[in-house]
Structures are given as C-alpha cells and as structure tokens.
Amino acid sequence: QAQLVESGGGLVQTGGSLRLSCAASGRALSSYYMVGWFRQAPRQEREFVAQITWRSGWTSYAGSVQGRFTISRDNAKNTVNLQMNSLKPEDTAVYSCAAQTLFGGQYDIWGQGTQVTVSS
C-alpha cells in the first residue's frame, strides 16, 4: 500500500528556515501527476501551501507563502521538498504532503504530517 512520509519539521525562530521532505513507499512519487503541501494550524481549516507537477515541474503557491517558500522535486531521491525561508509565527502548523494520481483529479493520498513551530 502506497504511503507518504514527511520529515524535516521542528522548532525555529522567526526569520529562520526549515526544509521539509516528502517521500513515498509502495509506489514511486514520480508516478504521480502532482504533489502538494498543505498545512493545518490549531482550530483552523487545512489550507493549500504549494504544489508541483512531477513531469514538467510546474509550480503554484498560496499567496501567503509566495516568495518565501520554494517547492521542488528531487529526481534522484524521488522526493518533493519544501524550502521555507523567512518563517513567521503564523506559519506554525502541521504540514502534510499529498499526491494526486491523475491530471484533474483529487489529492488521493496523504501523509501523516510534520509539525512546524515558529517562535516569536
């Protein structure tokens, strides 16, 4: 059974950086059409952060992270990474990666998430 696993979360001060990584087991991440990152803060709805298509590398970002976060894919390691710079306290959340099997479909496989905490 395919699974996604996130890593790289932690505690960082305002203005700091973290790099999250999403890896797959049971099925190569490169076999999916799109991989995305989402986050959910306490008592808030889950929100979209960024996404990337594996084949072309096309990316899109939420306005709140544009210019600070960068999503990328590592073909050699078969992972998708989220480089987060200039972190703010409002970036504190559980970050999850998800994969979309087909073009135009839903995100149909999700990881468990990794905690990111930004202290002020």
Side-chain angles (χ1 to χ4, degrees), residues 2-32:
Q3 290 184 322
L4 301 183
V5 179
E6 303 92 342
S7 61
L11 173 65
V12 65
Q13 291 185 333
T14 297
S17 299
L18 281 175
R19 184 179 178 86
L20 306 183
S21 184
C22 176
S25 62
R27 175 176 172 177
L29 207 54
S30 56
S31 70
Y32 293 94

Side-chain angles (χ1 to χ4, degrees), residues 6 14 21 27 35 43 54-55 60 72 88 110:
E6 303 92 342
T14 297
S21 184
R27 175 176 172 177
V35 179
R43 299 174 297 281
W54 191 274
R55 177 171 290 186
S60 67
S72 63
K88 306 174 183 179
W110 293 81

